[in-house]
Amino acid sequence: MKAREVNFDGLVGLTHHYAGLSFGNEASTKHRFQVSNPKLAAKQGLLKMKALSDAGFPQAVIPPQERPNVPVLRQLGFSGTDEQVIEKAGTQVPSLLSAASSASSMWVANAATVAPSADTLDGKVHLTVANLNNKFHRATEAETTERVLRAIFSNDAHFSVHPALPQVAMFGDEGAANHNRLGGDYGEPGLQLFIYGREEGGSTAPSRYPARQTLAASQAVARLNQVNPQQVIFAQQNPHVIDQGVFHNDVIAVSNRQVLFCHEQAFAHQDKLLATLHERVPGFMPVQVPTDAVSVQDAVETYLFNSQLLSRDDGSMVLVLPQESRNHAGVWRYLSELVKADNPIDELRVFDLRESMANGGGPACLRLRVVLTQQEMQAVNPAVMMNETLFNTLNNWVDRYYRDRLTQADLVDPQLLREGREALDDLTTILQLGSVYPFQR
């Protein structure tokens, strides 16, 4: 059945700030306490969405979450009015207020893992919400993410949204950032490649940074998403690259249809994995970047692999990259040769996503890929689909509510809480989501 890939991009929230909350993410740590610009961050994301939509790649929007997260601060013992809760947290434990104010839900590659209907036993599109339990500031996202996804994919005849896995280390699940799909046309059955960082009782694991995705979680997600067992492979990420800042697989590899674009050090037992993929995926084409062309450190600094690999109707592909990849002479030299070589990638599209990049998320982090048939596309909440009208409406919305300067010290401002709630109340109307936020319920 004819199908298309739709990229659902996360809209950056009003409390986007640099707090260095993500240990293992070197960009996040490096920019800790710098001044952020939430308005610019949101507009940079919107420009990418609109440009790709105009180029013929369907785009949609996933809204930010309510922040500061007052309910979780109450759960941690801060009491009083909402404003008093925020003031007490900010005065007594500023790091907790910062975590409760994180705009990290913008990186919706971590929102869920998606299985298209062509791959599932019941013929529905399945989405399993990620629990993100390795980091406190992200582990609080799952409940609202589930409500948002149910509001977008509300037609039970076509979609099935599953709650997050249990919030324990054994089932650490980081969503689509550690999931790939390989195959031919989008509407044909594909092979789902789940990448994990650690296995319970396993002997190989990183020593410096945490491996966030577990094998047990990947296996559970495959079961929940009703993926045909004949269409699943589980493979381990190279623990040595995790220790170099590759906290998710999408920092070292990206796939699209028959192409796997990855670093030569991306996976444990990489030769064996590629041989298996050659056997299982018709026309499989690995594009391995050698270390002597691009080091792992260069890949992490430029987010070369945290790019979007998109297919045109003729089968050729566009690689969507952050500005940092063009600014690095060695990486850009490699990419210039790549588009001349014998592979489907024949165009590079570069976007300025500096605000997101400085907090550790590139083009691929900002989007959740969902393959949809024409009938399924019509069943999606139409108000979230990117077009000229929505682009203008959201830009005006950002201009109305967002600040152009934010520091950690600003998070105690009670006006920021009020601004955020008013903005999100307005946004749920624009996107026709209903009451998905705690303050609305």
Side-chain angles (χ1 to χ4, degrees):
M1 187 180 297
K2 186 70 173 173
R4 304 213 48 195
E5 179 184 85
V6 182
N7 282 276
F8 286 76
D9 274 39
L11 187 58
V12 181
L14 291 88
T15 57
H16 161 68
H17 69 287
Y18 300 129
L21 296 169
S22 189
F23 180 67
N25 180 331
E26 297 200 345
S28 170
T29 305
K30 178 181 177 182
H31 295 93
R32 187 181 188 194
F33 299 144
Q34 292 188 9
V35 178
S36 68
N37 186 334
K39 180 179 289 188
L40 179 61
K43 284 180 171 285
Q44 286 175 342
L46 283 168
L47 281 171
K48 178 175 81 80
M49 295 184 223
K50 181 59 163 53
L52 294 179
S53 176
D54 288 347
F57 304 108
Q59 285 281 155
V61 179
I62 292 179
Q65 301 208 0
E66 178 192 353
R67 294 293 182 267
N69 188 334
V70 176
V72 81
L73 291 174
R74 291 187 183 281
Q75 193 177 352
L76 296 173
F78 299 103
S79 60
T81 64
D82 288 353
E83 290 80 3
Q84 289 170 337
V85 165
I86 290 169
E87 182 184 8
K88 289 176 182 178
T91 302
Q92 297 172 29
V93 195
S95 60
L96 284 182
L97 177 58
S98 181
S101 303
S102 173
S104 54
S105 67
M106 63 201 267
W107 295 306
V108 293
N110 306 114
T113 304
V114 183
S117 55
D119 298 354
T120 61
L121 297 174
D122 64 356
K124 291 184 181 182
V125 177
H126 285 256
L127 304 95
T128 295
V129 175
N131 60 27
L132 298 168
N133 67 16
N134 188 262
K135 297 286 179 286
F136 166 61
H137 68 286
R138 300 220 64 179
T140 61
E141 294 173 15
E143 187 177 340
T144 296
T145 296
E146 183 182 344
R147 285 199 295 268
V148 168
L149 292 179
R150 290 186 186 280
I152 293 173
F153 303 99
S154 60
N155 190 319
D156 292 340
H158 294 287
F159 308 115
S160 186
V161 178
H162 306 283
L165 299 177
Q167 286 282 10
V168 294
M170 179 179 177
F171 294 110
D173 176 28
E174 301 280 316
N178 294 298
H179 175 260
N180 302 269
R181 184 174 187 258
L182 293 151
D185 290 339
Y186 289 125
E188 297 174 356
L191 186 141
Q192 298 207 12
L193 174 62
F194 288 82
I195 309 300
Y196 63 92
R198 62 185 167 90
E199 177 181 1
E200 289 290 307
S203 58
T204 56
S207 58
R208 181 186 180 198
Y209 290 143
R212 304 185 187 185
Q213 184 79 26
T214 69
L215 174 59
S218 295
Q219 292 169 332
V221 170
R223 289 190 294 269
L224 285 167
N225 280 357
Q226 294 199 31
V227 182
N228 185 330
Q230 305 304 313
Q231 294 169 235
V232 178
I233 290 178
F234 301 99
Q236 185 174 9
Q237 186 163 326
N238 182 350
H240 301 298
V241 301
I242 295 176
D243 278 338
Q244 294 178 70
V246 182
F247 54 99
H248 290 141
N249 179 247
D250 67 1
V251 180
I252 202 73
V254 60
S255 67
N256 181 46
R257 295 176 66 173
Q258 77 276 23
V259 174
L260 176 63
F261 179 51
C262 66
H263 196 274
E264 68 173 354
Q265 297 182 47
F267 308 100
H269 314 295
Q270 187 149 319
D271 290 344
K272 183 179 179 182
L273 172 62
L274 296 181
T276 301
L277 294 174
H278 272 293
E279 294 173 5
R280 302 279 300 274
V281 179
F284 174 64
M285 183 180 298
V287 178
Q288 291 190 88
V289 181
T291 303
D292 59 9
V294 178
S295 69
V296 173
Q297 182 181 356
D298 289 341
V300 171
E301 287 181 358
T302 65
Y303 271 31
L304 165 62
F305 297 100
N306 196 248
S307 51
Q308 293 175 252
L309 192 53
L310 306 174
S311 284
R312 299 191 194 89
D313 291 339
D314 64 3
S316 63
M317 298 186 188
V318 180
L319 192 65
V320 175
L321 299 147
Q323 180 71 40
E324 285 76 1
S325 289
R326 181 157 62 187
N327 293 346
H328 189 287
V331 168
W332 192 250
R333 187 182 311 115
Y334 170 80
L335 288 168
S336 299
E337 293 300 320
L338 175 70
V339 294
K340 299 174 187 174
D342 185 19
N343 66 73
I345 305 170
D346 66 2
E347 183 186 352
L348 308 173
R349 288 286 301 268
V350 177
F351 288 92
D352 179 0
L353 299 167
R354 180 182 55 81
E355 286 289 321
S356 175
M357 287 285 291
N359 235 348
C365 287
L366 286 164
R367 63 93 173 93
L368 182 68
R369 310 167 79 169
V370 185
V371 168
L372 298 168
T373 65
Q374 190 171 358
Q375 193 175 23
E376 291 160 356
M377 184 100 77
Q378 292 171 347
V380 171
N381 176 350
V384 303
M385 299 303 297
M386 179 55 64
N387 53 40
E388 187 79 30
T389 300
L390 183 59
F391 176 73
N392 291 330
T393 299
L394 290 178
N395 265 290
N396 291 335
W397 175 80
V398 169
D399 284 335
R400 180 179 176 187
Y401 292 110
Y402 278 59
R403 300 186 181 190
D404 59 12
R405 186 183 190 281
L406 200 69
T407 67
Q408 192 166 353
D410 296 324
L411 300 175
V412 297
D413 181 1
Q415 184 59 28
L416 184 64
L417 174 70
R418 291 190 284 270
E419 289 169 5
R421 288 179 171 176
E422 184 181 346
L424 294 180
D425 219 15
D426 193 7
L427 184 63
T428 52
T429 301
I430 294 170
L431 300 179
Q432 298 177 23
L433 297 172
S435 300
V436 294
Y437 297 113
F439 76 91
Q440 296 176 316
R441 302 173 78 80

